[in-house]
Amino acid sequence: MWPMPTVPRPRSFRPAAWRSERKTRLPWIPDVDRSTAIVDCAVYRDGEREPDCGGWEQAHDDVLRRGTGFVWIGLHEPSERQFAGIATRFGLHPLAVEDAVQAHQRPKLEQYDDMLFAVVKTVHYDDTQPHGATEVVETGEVMIFLGADYVITVRHGEHSGLRAMRKRLESDAELLKLGPSVVLHAILDRAVDEYLAVTAALQEDIDEVETSVFAGANRGADSNRMYILKREVLALRRSAGPLSAPLRMLADRPFRLVAEDIREYFRDVDDHLSEVVEQVASFDDLLNTLVSANLAQVSVGQNEDMRKISAWVAIAAVPTMVAGVYGMNFDHMPELHWRFGYPLVLGVVLLFCVGLYRSFKRNGWL
């Protein structure tokens, strides 16, 4: 293990330019050579990116030969065969390699003899579905292998690109001088920033649904939208919730591979993650309340419809009853042969119908 250089502590790991990216478009993802799945590879020494030094093996050889700096290898959805050479060269643990290749892991942090292995869930709020009918929270994963002289990142998902983040780090030599652990911090900080962006988008959608529910708009559409939002909130909870334990470990426990100057900044990331977790919990409670309110409104609406139907049935029952009586074809019936009998019956029926209508109207049944 080579000693890590000591440099003055930077004032902040979260400059304003970093936060502004939350609302920007997704970074461009370059074409990947599918024979290797390597997106980018570089050697960083004294906070600067070294000129092109060939392939990843030559880059690692250069770090070993000179005894300074570290190599950062980025891969996108590698197969087991594509990842085998890198895993053998760096002595990566087989269980961590299996997780990195297969993906679909929970956020976690595992420590091996000379390596840290972290899994981070990335999220992206997609509101570009056909006709704007649905919004979904797309998830991806980033696996980080952290060693004394290397960082290996394995991405799964098209929206989880690290190209823009790498460029930002390369523009800040003071950060990169702290060693490989600064890459781990940057990835975790970026993931939590994405969580905050998604919670802001979900907040807007939930506010719209809340307004629609209490405005008595389309009840069926509101129910569908609330189901979609609850599914999105669940996806965000599964991504953000389990990350709290790894961040607390990085903030509270000393790790040989994590620079001491960076530890306290993991606590800052954990604070932002706690905000996300609290918001997600409040979203879930609010959506449950909205579902109950929507169901109550549906029930009230159905009762109102039944009262209107019952009122019209009662009004229609009067002429139906009278017509049924006079349709029995008896010779001796009241006013049957009287000249004014027919108009009298119609008048009485109309009088009863108008009386019932006014009574139901006054009581709110019509």
Side-chain angles (χ1 to χ4, degrees):
M1 175 179 176
W2 292 271
M4 186 172 296
T6 302
V7 297
R9 181 180 302 173
R11 288 177 296 177
S12 175
F13 283 150
R14 301 173 61 87
W18 287 38
R19 304 189 197 99
S20 63
E21 191 201 15
R22 297 178 189 171
K23 298 183 179 179
T24 59
R25 302 294 296 176
L26 292 177
W28 171 75
I29 300 176
D31 293 333
V32 179
D33 181 5
R34 299 314 299 174
S35 63
T36 63
I38 294 179
V39 178
D40 200 355
C41 176
V43 173
Y44 297 91
R45 187 174 287 112
D46 295 328
E48 300 290 339
R49 177 170 179 153
E50 295 289 310
D52 186 17
C53 55
W56 62 269
E57 292 176 311
Q58 291 81 357
H60 190 224
D61 288 338
D62 178 68
V63 171
L64 293 177
R65 182 177 63 257
R66 300 180 62 176
T68 58
F70 66 94
V71 59
W72 180 0
I73 305 173
L75 299 96
H76 180 247
E77 298 183 356
S79 65
E80 185 176 354
R81 178 184 60 82
Q82 293 169 334
F83 199 47
I86 295 177
T88 302
R89 175 64 178 262
F90 290 92
L92 306 181
H93 196 280
L95 293 177
V97 172
E98 181 181 358
D99 290 343
V101 172
Q102 295 182 358
H104 304 295
Q105 303 296 317
R106 284 170 54 88
K108 61 182 179 179
L109 177 69
E110 295 177 344
Q111 183 177 15
Y112 297 95
D113 293 336
D114 56 352
M115 181 193 78
L116 285 177
F117 175 65
V119 178
V120 182
K121 285 280 190 180
T122 60
V123 296
H124 168 61
Y125 188 81
D126 183 13
D127 57 356
T128 61
Q129 297 298 321
H131 311 296
T134 59
E135 298 92 5
V136 295
V137 175
E138 296 180 349
T139 60
E141 293 179 39
V142 178
M143 287 78 169
I144 306 104
F145 296 86
L146 182 66
D149 56 4
Y150 66 86
V151 177
I152 302 171
T153 55
V154 180
R155 298 190 294 106
H156 291 267
E158 293 299 327
H159 70 276
S160 57
L162 303 177
R163 184 182 181 87
M165 189 203 73
R166 185 189 284 256
K167 292 297 182 182
R168 285 197 306 272
L169 284 177
E170 291 174 355
S171 66
D172 194 337
E174 292 299 316
L175 285 178
L176 285 176
K177 283 182 180 180
L178 294 175
S181 57
V182 73
V183 179
L184 175 62
H185 169 270
I187 293 174
L188 292 172
D189 186 59
R190 175 182 178 272
V192 175
D193 282 347
E194 290 176 344
Y195 298 161
L196 289 170
V198 171
T199 55
L202 288 176
Q203 180 69 67
E204 294 179 2
D205 284 345
I206 293 175
D207 289 343
E208 292 177 2
V209 171
E210 183 178 14
T211 302
S212 178
V213 166
F214 290 105
N218 191 337
R219 298 166 185 165
D222 289 339
S223 299
N224 293 337
R225 188 104 184 266
M226 282 186 284
Y227 169 76
I228 293 172
L229 287 173
K230 284 186 68 69
R231 185 179 60 188
E232 292 171 345
V233 169
L234 179 60
L236 183 57
R237 170 179 286 177
R238 289 174 175 172
S239 299
L243 189 59
S244 296
L247 280 173
R248 291 194 181 97
M249 291 173 61
L250 289 168
D252 299 335
R253 290 174 48 184
F255 287 93
R256 181 169 53 90
L257 298 174
V258 178
E260 186 66 25
D261 287 339
I262 299 180
R263 281 182 53 200
E264 63 186 73
Y265 290 97
F266 285 112
R267 187 174 296 108
D268 177 69
V269 179
D270 185 44
D271 290 340
H272 288 85
L273 182 64
S274 299
E275 178 184 349
V276 173
V277 173
E278 291 174 359
Q279 286 183 324
V280 170
S282 66
F283 289 164
D284 191 52
D285 293 339
L286 180 56
L287 285 172
N288 288 335
T289 302
L290 290 177
V291 169
S292 300
N294 188 62
L295 290 176
Q297 288 186 340
V298 169
S299 178
V300 170
Q302 290 176 343
N303 290 337
E304 291 179 353
D305 294 339
M306 289 301 300
R307 287 194 303 179
K308 292 180 180 180
I309 293 173
S310 300
W312 284 113
V313 168
I315 294 173
V318 175
T320 301
M321 181 187 66
V322 174
V325 170
Y326 278 90
M328 290 188 294
N329 297 323
F330 289 109
D331 289 334
H332 302 285
M333 297 185 69
E335 314 302 339
L336 184 62
H337 300 287
W338 184 38
R339 176 181 300 180
F340 301 103
Y342 183 67
L344 177 63
V345 171
L346 289 182
V348 172
V349 169
L350 181 61
L351 181 63
F352 270 98
C353 290
V354 171
L356 288 174
Y357 177 82
R358 294 186 62 182
S359 177
F360 287 137
K361 190 74 173 179
R362 185 170 55 251
N363 291 319
W365 283 48
L366 289 174

